[in-house]
Amino acid sequence: MSAAAASLSAALSSVSLHYHRERIPSRDSFSRPLFQSSKLSFSVQSKSQNLTPPKASDPETTYFDTDDPDGVYTFSPPERPEGFIPPPSFDEGPIESEEDIARAYEELYGPAYSGETFLGNDVYVMDSKVKKRTGLGSQTKKEKVRDGFDERVVQVRRVTKVVKGGKQLHFRAVVVVGDKQGNVGVGVGKAKEVVAAVQKSAINARRNIITVPMTKYKTFPHRSEADYGAAKVMLRPASPGTGVIAGGSVRIVLEMAGVENALGKQLGSNNALNNARATVVAVQQMRQFSEVAEERGIPMEELWK
């Protein structure tokens, strides 16, 4: 260490600093020449030309003194072992299916990138062709439910609610759904828009589906009367070819249920919702002849007599 310090101090003592100024005349010949630029140069004069680097104390440190930096060297890879089979090329392999690709994405990035969530709903995270249908500036499009039920709007009314700041305007829709095979339901819904009110009422009607008892002539098995609130409805069976002779919401309910021959009459209130629900109550009171015979414990022939 003392030898290295002595050699370093000798090298620093030989360093001399020279500052040179170049005199560059100005473009204006009448003005006094100015020193436009200056250059700073260093010159190192080494008294001891043969400076040897200190020896490394680490025995693992080696110097590649024998390698020529300008030399040309060839790479010689190791020999392949016996029985080596080269892997197939990327283009020669079989085409991956969408399930294989989804499985690979799921292993790398998690289950959300495979196209299916834990609940089984398709999310299509990696599918770029699926456009975003919801969000700011896009109109939400809801497809109609295809469950075999037809929808029929009976009435749409504006209703208001008086609050502290004024009146709130909403729409109330009455919808009847049915498959025209004996199943019918009446629903009501309210919303700030007509379309939303109809959708809510259709969902409510599907939750209240009832079965209408009918004969082979598409009519009622017997008479029935019922009331709902101030509305009262009277239903009567009819012979084939008569058709549905009724008015208002009673006619709509019977047509959506699939009744082709019947008589109906509204007695009392003219409210569409109450008359529709009164029709449903009257239909629920009806029973088939086979049910009555089974309850009485007698055959159908004796019941007809």
Side-chain angles (χ1 to χ4, degrees), residues 1 56 140 253:
M1 293 298 292
T140 305
V253 172

Side-chain angles (χ1 to χ4, degrees), residues 127-179:
D127 194 353
S128 60
K129 297 181 181 180
V130 178
K131 297 182 180 179
K132 188 177 181 182
R133 297 183 178 180
T134 59
L136 184 61
S138 62
Q139 298 179 356
T140 305
K141 298 181 180 179
K142 294 185 178 180
E143 298 181 356
K144 292 185 178 180
V145 181
R146 298 180 181 179
D147 53 357
F149 288 92
D150 297 332
E151 300 177 4
R152 189 91 170 266
V153 179
V154 177
Q155 186 186 60
V156 177
R157 296 184 62 181
R158 293 185 301 173
V159 293
T160 56
K161 178 182 179 182
V162 180
V163 294
K164 181 179 180 181
K167 295 182 179 181
Q168 293 181 353
L169 178 64
H170 292 77
F171 293 93
R172 189 195 71 172
V174 180
V175 176
V176 178
V177 299
D179 58 355

Side-chain angles (χ1 to χ4, degrees), residues 43-294:
S43 63
V44 180
Q45 298 177 1
S46 177
K47 294 181 179 180
S48 58
Q49 299 296 333
N50 299 326
L51 296 177
T52 57
K55 294 182 179 180
S57 61
D58 190 0
E60 297 181 358
T61 305
T62 57
Y63 297 94
F64 299 94
D65 299 334
T66 59
D67 295 339
D68 186 9
D70 299 332
V72 179
Y73 299 94
T74 58
F75 174 71
S76 58
E79 296 181 359
R80 295 181 178 180
E82 296 181 0
F84 174 76
I85 300 175
S89 177
F90 178 79
D91 299 332
E92 296 177 359
I95 300 176
E96 295 181 342
S97 61
E98 294 183 358
E99 296 179 357
D100 298 337
I101 297 174
R103 194 178 302 108
Y105 273 113
E106 184 176 0
E107 293 178 358
L108 291 175
Y109 304 107
Y113 284 82
S114 63
E116 294 184 0
T117 61
F118 290 104
L119 300 178
N121 301 324
D122 295 336
V123 293
Y124 297 103
V125 178
M126 302 305 296
D127 194 353
S128 60
K129 297 181 181 180
V130 178
K131 297 182 180 179
K132 188 177 181 182
R133 297 183 178 180
T134 59
L136 184 61
S138 62
Q139 298 179 356
T140 305
K141 298 181 180 179
K142 294 185 178 180
E143 298 181 356
K144 292 185 178 180
V145 181
R146 298 180 181 179
D147 53 357
F149 288 92
D150 297 332
E151 300 177 4
R152 189 91 170 266
V153 179
V154 177
Q155 186 186 60
V156 177
R157 296 184 62 181
R158 293 185 301 173
V159 293
T160 56
K161 178 182 179 182
V162 180
V163 294
K164 181 179 180 181
K167 295 182 179 181
Q168 293 181 353
L169 178 64
H170 292 77
F171 293 93
R172 189 195 71 172
V174 180
V175 176
V176 178
V177 299
D179 58 355
K180 297 183 179 180
Q181 295 181 359
N183 298 319
V184 68
V186 179
V188 61
K190 298 178 183 179
K192 293 183 179 180
E193 297 180 0
V194 178
V195 178
V198 172
Q199 291 177 354
K200 291 176 65 176
S201 58
I203 294 174
N204 181 256
R206 284 179 170 83
R207 295 174 181 174
N208 302 316
I209 297 294
I210 64 167
T211 302
V212 180
M214 290 186 296
T215 63
K216 62 180 181 180
Y217 300 109
K218 298 294 182 180
T219 186
F220 300 126
H222 57 85
R223 298 182 179 184
S224 180
E225 294 181 3
D227 56 354
Y228 190 91
K232 186 176 181 180
V233 173
M234 178 182 63
L235 301 179
R236 298 287 186 271
S239 59
T242 304
V244 178
I245 301 177
S249 57
V250 179
R251 181 186 184 90
I252 297 176
V253 172
L254 297 181
E255 288 181 350
M256 298 302 292
V259 179
E260 297 180 0
N261 304 299
L263 303 175
K265 179 65 176 177
Q266 296 180 5
L267 303 175
S269 175
N270 199 25
N271 187 281
L273 178 59
N274 288 347
N275 279 292
R277 289 180 172 175
T279 306
V280 172
V281 173
V283 168
Q284 287 179 328
Q285 294 177 358
M286 297 181 182
R287 292 184 297 173
Q288 294 283 12
F289 293 105
S290 58
E291 297 178 4
V292 177
E294 185 178 357

